[in-house]
Amino acid sequence: MTIENVEDKAAQIRAGTVATPRVRGALDLIAEQWPVLAFVACAVMLGAAHAFETFGKLAPCLLCLKQREVYWVTGTVALVAVLLSRTAWAARVRKPLILLIGLGFLYGAGVATYHAGAEWKWWPGPAACAASGAASASASDLVAMLKGAKIAAPSCDKAVWIFLGLSMAGWNAVISLGLAIASAFAALRAPASPRAA
């Protein structure tokens, strides 16, 4: 290749007569694979919640369980998006499903914020959550429950774990909001065009 050829090619690129391949960056890959990443995020958050319960002996309150439900539903929508991305409908359903995933994360951020606010006594939590509650169910509690007795759930208005000034609900609010923003970004970002052969 001579200098003249390079100069001609540069002039063609400047004039826009030569198609240049689109450089795919990390953000393009994240947007393209968002349904998979959202599903993994839901699985990680549910795994962390169950680990705190199993290994940390921190029984979930009613609002904690509501936050888990949001991840179960949002993770299911993400899994449907992953499965449909391998079909002929992929282009049609991609954006609506990713926006639905984002709404799920946004709703989860709202539930978590409500829970964190109840813990900080900014507003009252639900009446069902105001019980004195126990940290975990003992064997005698399980026997009593089998006999029809009611076991009080832990209170929603007491943070049982705090890290860097935020409770689990507070951290969940931050993470869920971040996932909602990432979902909006992924939905609005144009999918990368297929590479030319």
Side-chain angles (χ1 to χ4, degrees):
M1 188 176 255
T2 65
I3 293 193
E4 291 82 19
N5 290 349
V6 171
E7 289 174 357
D8 288 341
K9 195 63 110 172
Q12 289 174 350
I13 290 172
R14 273 188 240 118
T17 58
V18 173
T20 57
R22 181 176 173 192
V23 178
R24 291 170 34 128
L27 293 178
D28 289 324
L29 291 174
I30 289 170
E32 184 179 308
Q33 297 300 319
W34 185 247
V36 174
L37 295 173
F39 177 76
V40 169
C42 289
V44 167
M45 292 301 286
L46 285 168
H50 288 291
F52 273 105
E53 181 180 352
T54 304
F55 304 113
K57 303 296 183 208
L58 299 175
C61 70
L62 295 175
L63 285 176
C64 292
L65 294 174
K66 287 284 183 201
Q67 291 169 77
R68 290 185 194 183
E69 288 173 6
V70 172
Y71 281 114
W72 280 109
V73 171
T74 306
T76 302
V77 173
L79 182 59
V80 168
V82 169
L83 295 175
L84 288 178
S85 71
R86 311 291 191 249
T87 68
W89 303 305
R92 258 192 252 150
V93 300
R94 179 186 184 279
K95 188 172 184 175
L97 284 175
I98 291 177
L99 286 172
L100 192 58
I101 291 168
L103 285 175
F105 286 135
L106 191 60
Y107 179 75
V111 172
T113 300
Y114 175 67
H115 188 186
E119 290 173 339
W120 286 99
K121 311 293 190 266
W122 293 341
W123 46 73
C129 269
S132 59
S136 63
S138 66
S140 61
D141 291 334
L142 294 175
V143 170
M145 188 170 60
L146 288 172
K147 291 181 179 178
K150 299 242 183 205
I151 304 297
S155 177
C156 295
D157 60 358
K158 293 183 183 130
V160 294
W161 182 87
I162 294 178
F163 179 68
L164 297 177
L166 289 177
S167 65
M168 279 190 274
W171 281 110
N172 187 27
V174 170
I175 292 168
S176 293
L177 184 60
L179 291 169
I181 291 168
S183 295
F185 167 80
L188 299 176
R189 192 151 181 111
S193 59
R195 291 182 178 184

